[in-house]
Amino acid sequence: MAYAAHTGTRRNLAALAGAGWGLLLSPGKPRDPRFVHALDNGAWGAFQQGKPFDVAAFEKHVGAHADGAEFVVVPDIVAAGLDSLRVSLGWLPRLAGVAKRRLLAVQDGMSAADVAPYLSPEVGIFVGGSTEWKLATMRAWGQLARTHGAYLHVGRVNTIRRIRYCQDAGADSFDGTSATRFCCTLPALDNARRQRNLFGGLHA
């Protein structure tokens, strides 16, 4: 399953809906009945803007849109490794029963042993982190998720090659902003996500 960030551009939204993509909603973004949706926590956007995580906005977001959501990304701290995981684990019980499943964001500095005790069909993995780390560890996160019957989602996937990495890792879904911003990129990305990688490895 592919998810895109919400956009105010009607043409792009229509194209995404027609292709069967979902929306990964950040706090403050509206729900659209045409789309399957999931809930981001807003930590990445706050990090990019140099702002602290907005707890009130996240809680309001969950209250408004958790019903029917495929997953919610548990609050994390971008680029904070195990400190981020400790924050996420503090939120995990508070989000019990929210959406169909909760995803723990993993990033540079975390290992499978750190995350494995908390995984289940209700608690999955959101692969974040730096691009280099994400690509180098994605297959290992996929193996861990399968071992625990957990869901695997990969963030910031905007190229065919990264979609191939997701397929190779056995990811259940990914998200990106390329198709949100430039609907001309949607056909190639959508074709890649629908086409199995028949060569059994990674290629451009």
Side-chain angles (χ1 to χ4, degrees):
M1 180 64 183
Y3 290 87
H6 189 277
T7 174
T9 305
R10 293 181 181 178
R11 177 188 176 193
N12 291 15
L13 282 174
L16 290 165
W21 284 42
L23 290 181
L24 181 61
L25 300 179
S26 296
K29 297 299 183 182
R31 188 168 167 179
D32 187 317
R34 294 174 293 177
F35 293 91
V36 170
H37 73 289
L39 306 183
D40 195 7
N41 60 38
W44 174 251
F47 175 77
Q48 287 183 307
Q49 298 173 36
K51 296 179 179 180
F53 176 66
D54 192 332
V55 173
F58 174 69
E59 291 177 337
K60 182 178 179 180
H61 183 51
V62 168
H65 302 304
D67 182 41
E70 292 296 309
F71 60 80
V72 58
V73 184
V74 179
D76 62 310
I77 306 174
V78 176
L82 291 177
D83 287 337
S84 174
L85 181 60
R86 282 188 280 271
V87 168
S88 296
L89 294 178
W91 275 94
L92 198 58
R94 297 171 61 181
L95 295 172
V98 171
K100 294 182 180 178
R101 55 188 68 85
R102 297 158 288 166
L103 302 188
L104 292 171
V106 298
Q107 52 190 297
D108 304 45
M110 295 186 192
S111 70
D114 298 322
V115 178
Y118 311 102
L119 299 180
S120 71
E122 290 76 39
V123 179
I125 299 172
F126 180 105
V127 184
S130 66
T131 298
E132 295 77 10
W133 181 86
K134 183 198 306 281
L135 299 182
T137 63
M138 196 186 302
R139 181 179 285 181
W141 293 117
Q143 292 172 342
L144 182 66
R146 287 192 295 276
T147 297
H148 293 273
Y151 191 96
L152 180 70
H153 178 91
V154 183
R156 300 199 322 275
V157 175
N158 292 302
T159 65
I160 292 172
R161 181 167 176 79
R162 290 193 195 177
I163 290 173
R164 296 290 183 240
Y165 270 92
C166 292
Q167 292 170 329
D168 185 63
D172 295 287
S173 59
F174 67 86
D175 73 86
T177 58
S178 178
T180 301
R181 299 170 60 196
F182 312 107
C183 67
C184 62
T185 68
L186 178 60
L189 295 175
D190 191 57
N191 183 62
R193 67 111 175 180
R194 293 176 185 277
Q195 182 182 35
R196 288 186 61 190
N197 185 357
L198 302 177
F199 298 96
L202 302 176
H203 55 87

